[in-house]
């Protein structure tokens, strides 16, 4: 289940930062981090979704694992984002 949450977070982070549905372009208040940053938005989707599922199943360990995996995902995306060459 955590894998599905991370995959969903990755998709939502991409969808809302790198497509025509970019959140930061919808309103001037949203034109800042985490809404304009794919790693940041993915991290927030990950821990929030893990928190919601953890509340539903009443399992604190699930939330801790989800938050940790979200942080690791953020770190990987941040490293990938920094290593990209801008044209």
């Amino acid at each position: 289940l955590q894998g599905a949450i991370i995959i969903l977070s990755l998709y939502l982070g991409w969808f809302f930062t790198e497509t025509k549905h970019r959140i930061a372009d919808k309103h001037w208040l949203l034109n800042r981090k985490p809404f304009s940053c794919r790693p940041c938005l993915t991290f927030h989707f990950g821990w929030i979704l893990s928190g919601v599922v953890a509340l539903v199943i009443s399992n604190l360990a699930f939330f801790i694992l989800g938050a940790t995996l979200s942080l690791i995902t953020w770190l990987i995306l941040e490293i990938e984002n920094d290593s990209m060459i801008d044209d």
Side-chain angles (χ1 to χ4, degrees), residues 1 3 9 14 20-21 26 42 46-48 64 67 69 80-81:
L1 189 57
S9 299
W14 168 80
K20 67 178 184 175
H21 304 288
K26 303 296 182 199
T42 300
W47 76 260
I48 290 169
I64 293 170
L69 289 175
E80 175 189 331
N81 197 25

Side-chain angles (χ1 to χ4, degrees), residues 59-70:
N59 190 341
L60 180 62
F62 189 89
F63 173 70
I64 293 170
L65 177 63
T68 303
L69 289 175
S70 296

Side-chain angles (χ1 to χ4, degrees), residues 26-79:
K26 303 296 182 199
H27 195 275
W28 65 272
L29 283 174
L30 301 175
N31 193 12
R32 59 186 179 90
K33 285 186 178 182
F35 305 110
S36 62
C37 168
R38 180 180 176 204
C40 303
L41 191 59
T42 300
F43 168 73
H44 288 293
F45 274 130
W47 76 260
I48 290 169
L49 289 172
S50 294
V52 169
V53 173
L55 283 172
V56 169
I57 64 174
S58 300
N59 190 341
L60 180 62
F62 189 89
F63 173 70
I64 293 170
L65 177 63
T68 303
L69 289 175
S70 296
L71 187 61
I72 291 168
T73 304
W74 170 82
L75 182 61
I76 292 168
L77 288 174
E78 191 67 27
I79 290 169

Side-chain angles (χ1 to χ4, degrees), residues 10-30:
L10 285 167
Y11 173 75
L12 292 173
W14 168 80
F15 186 79
F16 288 119
T17 58
E18 298 185 13
T19 66
K20 67 178 184 175
H21 304 288
R22 182 175 154 83
I23 292 177
D25 297 339
K26 303 296 182 199
H27 195 275
W28 65 272
L29 283 174
L30 301 175

